[in-house]
Amino acid sequence: MNTLILRTVAPVITALMLLFSVFVLLRGHNEPGGGFIGGLIAASALAIFGIAHGPGAVQRAIRFHPMAIAGAGLALAAVSGLVSIAAGVPFMSGLWIYPDILGTEVPLSTVMSFDIGVYLVVVGSVTAIALALETEPDGGAGEGEGGD
């Protein structure tokens, strides 16, 4: 789809959807939402951007290979579980720390790092699938047809 309206509006819609996906991610352990739904919203935003500007524009925008993003998310989610084992509690138990950042006590938890890991896994894997579907095969559509 190559319309002027879509190409013009896609960056704005993408930015708003990415912002909303972070909002859904951050409110996930207190209300409905979380890493999975936030990741789907972010991947949908990147798919819209890809439809408007092509898969190359999405690859340039995210700067990393989508499967590298998924791998980093998987590692973060795994580390979130292993931290609890190191602390001597059951695997995937939630642990909190309260560092003082710029005079404000900020609660950080392994629950949140696990949600962020899930978010990255979903964004990376769904974006990789969407880019694979949007990218034409190397051989081209007309190869092997016609001829003699």
Side-chain angles (χ1 to χ4, degrees):
M1 184 180 304
N2 196 9
T3 66
L4 179 62
I5 294 172
L6 182 62
R7 282 193 318 256
T8 304
V9 176
V12 175
I13 291 173
T14 301
L16 289 174
M17 286 178 72
L18 289 173
L19 184 64
F20 182 64
S21 78
V22 171
F23 169 75
V24 169
L25 166 69
L26 294 177
R27 78 174 199 160
H29 57 278
N30 294 326
E31 295 178 24
F36 186 78
I37 300 301
L40 287 177
I41 294 168
S44 298
L46 294 173
I48 288 172
F49 191 73
I51 290 168
H53 295 284
V58 174
Q59 291 170 340
R60 286 188 301 276
I62 61 176
R63 298 184 185 193
F64 296 101
H65 192 279
M67 291 313 291
I69 294 171
L74 185 60
L76 180 60
V79 167
S80 298
L82 295 175
V83 167
S84 59
I85 290 177
V89 295
F91 182 68
M92 296 299 286
S93 294
L95 301 173
W96 284 261
I97 60 170
Y98 301 92
D100 190 33
I101 299 174
L102 300 173
T104 304
E105 189 177 81
V106 178
L108 299 175
S109 69
T110 56
V111 175
M112 192 66 206
S113 64
F114 178 78
D115 264 351
I116 292 170
V118 169
Y119 178 89
L120 292 173
V121 167
V122 172
V123 168
S125 59
V126 174
T127 300
I129 292 168
L131 289 175
L133 291 173
E134 290 179 5
T135 305
E136 293 189 23
D138 292 337
E143 200 170 286
E145 295 178 8
D148 307 290

